Amino acid sequence: MIPEKLVEVMKQDGVVAIATLGPDGPHMVNTWNSYLIVSPEGRLLIPAGYMQRTEANVAFNDQVLITLGSSKVAGKQGPGTGFLIKGTAAFVTAGPDFDVIKARFPWARATLAVTIASAAQTL
């Protein structure tokens, strides 16, 4: 489900934007490409240090949009590519998805686990 080019992007320096929708409207939070981990089941695992508003929004509406990119990975028409990921999210504080994040990021209070519905290359 996760395109190989997206895996390449995740290995590069870059910013990830995570959009959620709550009762007060849309909200965005950022993390780094290199913080993303793909679980054996294909979920996208993201460490959550703060992200309290994101967590509240996910409890209200579990749909998320995520964008990320890199100027170092060849795109459709030249240097640089990006992706738009659509999926459903949950905050996890116990179990394998949390354990893998906590081992790599001791500061994480939770794992934002995203089940990917689609991952479209945008550039």
Side-chain angles (χ1 to χ4, degrees):
M1 180 76 189
I2 297 179
E4 188 56 39
K5 192 157 295 260
L6 175 54
V7 174
E8 287 180 54
V9 169
M10 290 169 46
K11 294 177 183 175
Q12 304 299 317
D13 288 335
V15 176
V16 177
I18 304 164
T20 57
L21 182 63
D24 297 329
H27 175 69
M28 303 247 344
V29 69
N30 296 114
T31 193
W32 302 109
N33 289 1
S34 60
Y35 283 13
L36 305 179
I37 297 173
V38 178
S39 76
E41 298 79 19
R43 283 185 302 281
L44 196 58
L45 308 179
I46 304 167
Y50 294 102
M51 293 191 189
Q52 282 89 357
R53 185 158 175 203
T54 301
E55 185 172 15
N57 285 355
V58 166
F60 175 78
N61 176 348
D62 67 355
Q63 302 293 308
V64 295
L65 297 176
I66 299 172
T67 62
L68 67 154
S70 173
S71 63
K72 295 179 175 67
V73 177
K76 293 179 178 181
Q77 299 178 12
T81 193
F83 281 85
L84 171 63
I85 298 170
K86 296 179 182 181
T88 56
F91 276 77
V92 179
T93 57
D97 288 347
F98 177 68
D99 294 342
V100 70
I101 286 293
K102 191 69 172 175
R104 185 162 162 203
F105 305 101
W107 49 264
R109 66 171 185 85
T111 296
L112 175 57
V114 178
T115 300
I116 298 171
S118 67
Q121 187 174 352
T122 57
L123 296 171

